[in-house]
Amino acid sequence: MRKRVAPRLSSAVRGHRRIVCVTAASAALLVPLLIDRSDDSGGPDDQRLQDDYTAAAKEFQVPRSVLMGVSYLQSRWDSHQGAPSVIGGYGPMHLVDSAGPPAATPPHHVTPHPKVRKASPSPAQKAVEEAQRSADLRRAAGLVGLPVERLRTDDAANVRGGAALLAAAQKSLGKPLSTDPADWWDAVSRFPGSNDAGSATAYANDVFDIIRKGADRVTDAGQHVVLAASPRVRPKAGAAGAARSKNTECPAELSCSWLSAPYVRIDDEAYGNHDLADRPKDQRIEYIVIHDTEAPLASMLLTVQDPTEASWHYSIRSSDGSVTQHVKTKDAAWHSGSQFVNGRSIGIEHEGFLRQPDAWYTEQMYRSSARLVKYLTKKYDIPLDRQHIFGHDNVPAPTEDTIPDMHDDPGPFWDWRHYFDLLGAPLKATAGPDSDTVMILPEYAKHRPVFTGCVESGEKCATHGSSAVRLHTEPSEDSGLIQDPGRKPDGDDTTVDVNDLGSRVSAGQTFAVAGRQGDWTAIWFQGHKAWFKNPKDQPTAVGERARTVTPKEGRHEIPVFGRALPEESAYPEGMDEEQEAPLPYTIEEGQRYVTQSVVHGTYVDRSSFGDAPAPVVKGREEYYEIQLDHRLAYVRASDVDVKEPPAAAGAPKPAKPKAGS
């Protein structure tokens, strides 16, 4: 075993800055969907799409619940302003144009990857080919006798096309156009065109789960669509998926494959691209980190096989939610930008670009991800809350100098509220509107803050639903935005750019209330009051019963850390102590911050390369994990007092934070 003195890894490993590749083929997939095309002049009657489903179901003799269930899983009934998804899918039925999506100039932030070679079709191209066999827009246009362009841009025509395809599939199976939804299970399973029996079964069962539970949603076009629940409808036991590698750790109902990330010596001074570990024996796994790739999946599959680059545990494909595992969960991948977080987390990459959510953040990807996370949280006893299930943009920076380089994916358009619904842990109020802690919880479709930079810097993005709530210095929209001294140490103002996190909080995050004035609520944020608009008729936060920490009596202020390190006495003789590095924020007396977790200081000695897991130094000192701002942070337990929430009639107290290893 040789000493690894001064690692000379690439910037992707050191800071986890991902190198993005764009080939001629993949460039066509980067459709700039968040250009501002709307004039906000008001939409059509909000029942029109509901009527379209009723009319198409009647015309083609498809049960309306089946048609609406398929459409919900395809697009959640959204039309995306007639713009295509990454595989060229259009409209509420996500009908795929066999010609593929139109070519587009890649976003300004994308740079070529020198390792990309013209090779076999990309996963997205394969998905297009699969979709052609079923949800094909051109075939649908022929069945309904309309021009292809009509099905791309006209929701009613698109829905008719979907209904015609379902009816045609039912007839090809030799089955009657029955009024009983259960008779349509096989036709539904064929709709996405998947070759994998397990994926087709999971798809159909998801559709029938939606039919059973019902759905009620306002779409991106302002249409109010309701699918009444049919409790008697049940999923069907289907065929098993293809044989999978013994290395994969996935729920049985997911299509899951294995593509290994390398653990190899690069030279005498460095190794890559992950750490051997023995989790949860040497460290408790307590976080799931949600990423997006900011690259087509084909590029990322090259990156994860490169020992000089970053690594992560799982990748999820946009088109169909297919999962690929790269690192065993017992080992620590290099994915978050913080080795402290890496040591106690599982990283999941989702194919997509945060600026282009409608093209990439598909319902099938959301559902596959939720299935995987439910499986992992059950396996490792991880709490289902936003201090344990969080984005790359919520990872605490380990030191002050790393703050400007921390990532901002999956961004403000990731629908955390919907994601937690799929996890079976809905984000909801647990206290009254006047409670002393709140959960950020805007209604995604209706909450549409202004963003810029989706295509070009400074250019306004299209109006779009968002999980993000923006913070001001005063209870007025005319006041300035909160300035983050860590992210912008030179004092530059925070902007409304889609990647600027300085003045944002996100759905599911919880904060202590610092004040209220009219429609405005203030929270404690980075050591200061931060105000956000929270009107009663469209609230952006709800009451929450939560445990908080505050500086001990007599302490004017306390330091904040981006990682929890062991005390000096915990290090074995001969091992250099990792030096503490407080962040450029402090918490003053009287301020409170929500905590849902207790951790012990730990440090992984990564100075050597070998066949055994890296040694873990475990301290006795406890830290509370807190929601400091958009990101998490840590404070010493010895510096704070814990404040329990007030008792509520019939409501249990919040669970005591678990102490991590």
Side-chain angles (χ1 to χ4, degrees), residues 489-655:
D490 294 332
D492 295 339
D493 290 339
T494 298
T495 70
V496 296
D497 186 88
V498 70
N499 292 108
D500 194 336
L501 304 175
S503 66
R504 295 208 307 248
V505 287
S506 186
Q509 294 178 332
T510 49
F511 296 88
V513 173
R516 287 187 171 92
Q517 185 173 317
D519 283 343
W520 290 77
T521 300
I523 55 175
W524 292 116
F525 180 92
Q526 292 183 357
H528 304 282
K529 282 186 178 182
W531 293 86
F532 64 94
K533 197 168 186 181
N534 187 26
K536 289 182 173 60
D537 60 344
Q538 191 175 319
T540 53
V542 295
E544 177 78 357
R545 297 181 68 248
R547 183 176 284 105
T548 58
V549 296
T550 189
K552 281 188 177 295
E553 187 174 352
R555 297 292 303 273
H556 177 63
E557 64 179 24
I558 62 171
V560 177
F561 301 92
R563 55 188 176 174
L565 293 174
E567 63 275 14
E568 182 179 359
S569 61
Y571 290 84
E573 187 175 351
M575 184 184 294
D576 291 336
E577 176 190 359
E578 185 77 0
Q579 295 299 308
E580 285 189 336
L583 299 178
Y585 317 106
T586 58
I587 296 175
E588 297 183 2
E589 58 184 337
Q591 296 181 10
R592 296 180 302 119
Y593 291 82
V594 170
T595 182
Q596 293 173 323
S597 183
V598 178
V599 300
H600 287 92
T602 56
Y603 171 70
V604 179
D605 179 13
R606 303 174 60 251
S607 61
S608 300
F609 172 80
D611 296 332
V616 179
V617 179
K618 299 182 180 181
R620 293 180 177 273
E621 185 166 22
E622 290 185 337
Y623 291 76
Y624 283 100
E625 179 185 81
I626 63 169
Q627 191 70 61
L628 176 74
D629 49 26
H630 193 77
R631 300 187 185 276
L632 298 165
Y634 303 92
V635 293
R636 292 192 191 96
S638 57
D639 286 341
V640 298
D641 289 324
V642 178
K643 301 292 186 183
E644 298 291 342
K653 285 187 176 181

Side-chain angles (χ1 to χ4, degrees), residues 89-141:
Y90 289 85
M93 298 301 300
H94 194 250
L95 301 181
V96 178
D97 190 343
S98 53
T105 302
H108 60 84
H109 64 295
V110 175
T111 55
H113 191 307
K115 296 184 180 180
V116 174
R117 300 175 295 276
K118 190 171 182 179
S120 57
S122 70
Q125 289 169 311
K126 290 179 181 178
V128 171
E129 294 169 3
E130 287 185 354
Q132 289 172 14
R133 291 191 292 273
S134 188
D136 188 293
L137 182 140
R138 291 174 182 266
R139 180 167 173 250

Side-chain angles (χ1 to χ4, degrees), residues 196-225:
D196 179 70
S199 296
T201 296
Y203 178 90
N205 281 340
D206 277 344
V207 169
F208 279 85
D209 186 58
I210 292 163
I211 295 171
R212 182 174 66 85
K213 294 177 180 176
D216 184 332
R217 186 169 184 267
V218 175
T219 73
D220 61 352
Q223 294 289 298
H224 185 200
V225 183

Side-chain angles (χ1 to χ4, degrees), residues 356-377:
Q356 301 169 350
D358 294 340
W360 299 88
Y361 293 173
T362 64
E363 182 66 5
Q364 291 184 63
M365 186 169 72
Y366 272 122
R367 286 177 177 263
S368 287
S369 180
R371 277 195 174 94
L372 178 61
V373 170
K374 285 174 72 173
Y375 165 84
L376 294 170
T377 54

Side-chain angles (χ1 to χ4, degrees), residues 188-428:
V188 168
S189 72
R190 292 189 174 195
F191 195 85
S194 175
N195 273 332
D196 179 70
S199 296
T201 296
Y203 178 90
N205 281 340
D206 277 344
V207 169
F208 279 85
D209 186 58
I210 292 163
I211 295 171
R212 182 174 66 85
K213 294 177 180 176
D216 184 332
R217 186 169 184 267
V218 175
T219 73
D220 61 352
Q223 294 289 298
H224 185 200
V225 183
V226 178
L227 172 60
S230 301
R232 295 183 180 180
V233 173
R234 287 288 183 271
K236 172 182 175 182
R244 60 172 60 169
S245 166
K246 64 180 181 181
N247 291 313
T248 57
E249 301 163 275
C250 292
E253 65 270 23
L254 277 185
S255 173
C256 194
S257 59
W258 175 263
L259 179 65
S260 181
Y263 175 73
V264 297
R265 190 197 310 275
I266 296 171
D267 56 32
D268 288 346
E269 298 180 348
Y271 69 86
N273 62 5
H274 60 277
D275 289 316
L276 298 185
D278 191 21
R279 306 186 307 175
K281 293 180 180 178
D282 57 4
Q283 283 202 83
R284 183 170 179 261
I285 299 174
E286 54 188 328
Y287 302 140
I288 304 287
V289 182
I290 303 299
H291 304 253
D292 80 20
T293 57
E294 294 299 303
L297 186 60
S299 167
M300 297 304 289
L301 297 183
L302 288 175
T303 299
V304 80
Q305 295 176 81
D306 186 338
T308 68
E309 298 290 350
S311 62
W312 50 96
H313 292 90
Y314 298 90
S315 298
I316 303 183
R317 192 162 66 194
S318 169
S319 60
D320 61 0
S322 178
V323 177
T324 304
Q325 186 172 355
H326 311 290
V327 178
K328 299 293 288 183
T329 58
K330 71 178 182 63
D331 296 327
W334 297 351
H335 63 96
S336 75
S338 166
Q339 292 299 342
F340 178 80
V341 171
N342 289 347
R344 55 187 67 224
S345 69
I346 293 170
I348 304 176
E349 289 279 1
H350 299 75
E351 184 184 20
F353 292 82
L354 68 85
R355 295 168 172 86
Q356 301 169 350
D358 294 340
W360 299 88
Y361 293 173
T362 64
E363 182 66 5
Q364 291 184 63
M365 186 169 72
Y366 272 122
R367 286 177 177 263
S368 287
S369 180
R371 277 195 174 94
L372 178 61
V373 170
K374 285 174 72 173
Y375 165 84
L376 294 170
T377 54
K378 183 177 181 180
K379 181 177 181 178
Y380 293 112
D381 192 25
I382 302 171
L384 286 168
D385 61 53
R386 287 283 275 116
Q387 285 196 10
H388 294 88
I389 315 295
F390 51 80
H392 199 176
D393 50 0
N394 308 133
V395 172
T399 58
E400 179 175 359
D401 63 337
T402 62
I403 296 174
D405 293 329
M406 296 301 287
H407 282 217
D408 39 32
D409 59 289
F413 306 120
W414 182 265
D415 193 343
W416 285 108
R417 188 171 190 162
H418 178 53
Y419 192 61
F420 270 76
D421 283 344
L422 295 175
L423 288 173
L427 303 174
K428 58 184 179 181

